Amino acid sequence: MGYDNMRLEKGMYREEGKSFSQVLESLDPSEHYRGTALEGTDAFQRQLKRFDIRVKGAGSSSVEKFFRTMDSAVLFPEYIARAVRQGMEEGDILPGITATTTVIDAMDYRSIYSVPTNDDKALKHVAEGAAIPATQVKTKEHLLSLHKRGRMLLASYEAIRFQKLDLFSVMLRQIGSYIQKMHLQDAVEVLLNGDGNSNPAQVLTAGEAPIGGESGKLTYEQLVNFWGQFTPYEMNTMLCGTNSMTKLLKVPELQNPLTGLNFQGTGKLASPLGAQLLRSDCVADGKIIGLDRRYALELVQAGDVMVEYDKLIDRQMERAVISSIAGFGKICADAVKVLVL
């Protein structure tokens, strides 16, 4: 079956365990186009070409072009989902604070964890015939909370039918950005207070042992003391709000020429302790979250971006919901600590 004569229908969004794009790909595999002009395109992009729908650029099509035929109308929800997903990925810092991503097909999820004692962490010599030290992995007592985050599309078909897809995509990417910020708020909440399984982050306060110094101020010595609390983990990421980031950047050791050159050349910030600095206003002023991103947080997703495809295909867009379901779980509680200035 070629891409130019494929029958498209609503039921392709309802296939269990498969997204619309995966259904299209199974019917029209991309590997069949190697060495052709369509190499590098996926099945959805080939369907856009089939109906001459251009979603970006100066010559982008209008929204109404999706609805010239019933087959092309079926593509509209996937276009919405892809544009929203692109907005979620733009400027997304979740990959910088999550160790792994788990995709599930349910609303309930129970993760695993390990809480090694100091004796477990010690690298002991194992004599011949002696017992091998063990690391116990357990199932968490409480289920992880998954949250549905979304926005409602409040636009009638008549209002947007003549709008160019390039401009409409900007609006959809903004929706994706809002959704992703809500997920980040959930992630910060779990980093600080745990996932409901008695695993909040250890809080260390400036002016008190072992951080030392003065409360309300931030010095290089305090950062070093904070860094030293992560053994045997590594503080390779620091997450904080704008005001706290400003204080960090004013630490003299962060103002050396090499640090400034790296920031000006790449736009990436780095601390003198080798940690990546990430800014988010989801973190309250006066707090700096330090973590070992390799062991700290698990992102759990219940499927992909979801759209109310029936409404969108039938041009009933006034109250069409676009949503994403995700939750977060602590993997190693000791891999996250909070510095309160």
Side-chain angles (χ1 to χ4, degrees):
M1 179 186 300
Y3 78 93
D4 54 351
N5 59 7
M6 185 185 303
R7 178 177 172 78
L8 305 177
E9 56 184 3
K10 290 181 182 180
M12 300 173 81
Y13 287 95
R14 292 193 293 264
E15 287 205 20
E16 187 175 355
K18 284 187 176 182
S19 66
F20 179 78
S21 288
Q22 290 171 332
V23 173
L24 280 182
E25 196 67 33
S26 66
L27 297 173
D28 181 36
S30 294
E31 61 186 23
H32 292 171
Y33 296 89
R34 291 177 183 170
T36 72
L38 294 175
E39 184 177 10
T41 62
D42 63 23
F44 176 73
Q45 292 169 328
R46 290 190 291 273
Q47 289 302 310
L48 293 179
K49 179 176 177 61
R50 169 189 175 186
F51 295 104
D52 193 29
I53 299 173
R54 301 181 183 182
V55 298
K56 59 183 179 181
S60 66
S61 305
S62 61
V63 172
E64 71 168 354
K65 197 160 188 180
F66 272 107
F67 299 95
R68 295 284 175 85
T69 70
M70 190 59 200
D71 278 339
S72 59
V74 174
L75 299 172
F76 190 60
E78 177 64 14
Y79 154 72
I80 296 280
R82 289 191 177 208
V84 170
R85 194 181 305 118
Q86 184 180 356
M88 294 175 67
E89 293 170 354
E90 291 175 350
D92 180 22
I93 66 173
L94 278 178
I97 61 174
T98 52
T100 184
T101 300
T102 302
V103 180
I104 61 175
D105 291 325
M107 289 297 295
D108 294 332
Y109 179 73
R110 195 185 302 272
S111 189
I112 58 175
Y113 74 103
S114 173
V115 183
T117 64
N118 290 331
D119 190 57
D120 293 331
K121 297 175 185 177
L123 299 177
K124 297 181 178 179
H125 174 70
V126 180
E128 184 177 352
I132 302 294
T135 296
Q136 190 172 20
V137 177
K138 301 179 181 179
T139 301
K140 289 186 177 180
E141 180 180 358
H142 299 290
L143 296 172
L144 295 186
S145 297
L146 301 185
H147 301 286
K148 183 176 182 178
R149 303 302 190 188
R151 309 284 288 195
M152 187 174 292
L153 186 62
L154 296 176
S156 67
Y157 175 69
E158 288 73 19
I160 65 171
R161 61 180 296 189
F162 298 119
Q163 294 297 323
K164 296 296 185 180
L165 291 171
D166 202 25
L167 175 60
F168 190 48
S169 295
V170 174
M171 303 296 104
L172 295 173
R173 292 202 305 271
Q174 187 180 52
I175 290 175
S177 177
Y178 291 149
I179 293 174
Q180 196 66 4
K181 185 173 182 179
M182 288 186 278
H183 284 323
L184 181 58
Q185 287 177 334
D186 293 336
V188 169
E189 174 66 20
V190 170
L191 286 173
L192 293 174
N193 302 314
D195 57 17
N197 288 280
S198 302
N199 52 5
Q202 181 185 2
V203 177
L204 303 166
T205 304
E208 301 178 4
I211 301 302
E214 295 182 39
S215 177
K217 294 186 178 181
L218 184 62
T219 65
Y220 183 71
E221 182 178 354
Q222 290 173 320
L223 286 174
V224 171
N225 290 338
F226 185 50
W227 171 84
Q229 302 307 305
F230 279 80
T231 304
Y233 299 104
E234 171 188 305
M235 188 185 73
N236 49 38
T237 304
M238 300 174 75
L239 178 65
C240 58
T242 300
N243 289 341
S244 298
M245 179 71 78
T246 301
K247 290 184 179 181
L248 270 171
L249 296 177
K250 290 180 179 178
V251 174
E253 285 77 6
L254 270 173
Q255 298 176 19
N256 68 73
L258 290 179
T259 299
L261 184 62
N262 181 60
F263 175 61
Q264 294 168 18
T266 66
K268 295 181 179 179
L269 297 169
S271 78
L273 305 177
Q276 181 182 13
L277 299 183
L278 299 175
R279 183 183 67 174
S280 172
D281 290 334
C282 295
V283 183
D285 288 340
K287 289 184 178 180
I288 297 176
I289 301 175
L291 63 139
D292 189 332
R293 61 177 174 269
R294 303 171 300 171
Y295 302 105
L297 199 64
E298 176 188 15
L299 166 59
V300 182
Q301 294 179 322
D304 207 340
V305 174
M306 294 174 287
V307 297
E308 293 186 308
Y309 59 88
D310 275 317
K311 288 184 178 181
L312 294 173
I313 293 173
D314 295 336
R315 310 185 199 185
Q316 299 171 0
M317 304 177 194
E318 288 84 352
R319 301 185 69 81
V321 175
I322 303 167
S323 62
S324 173
I325 299 176
F328 298 88
K330 277 275 192 75
I331 301 175
C332 300
D334 290 343
V336 184
K337 300 182 189 298
V338 180
L339 174 61
V340 177
L341 303 180

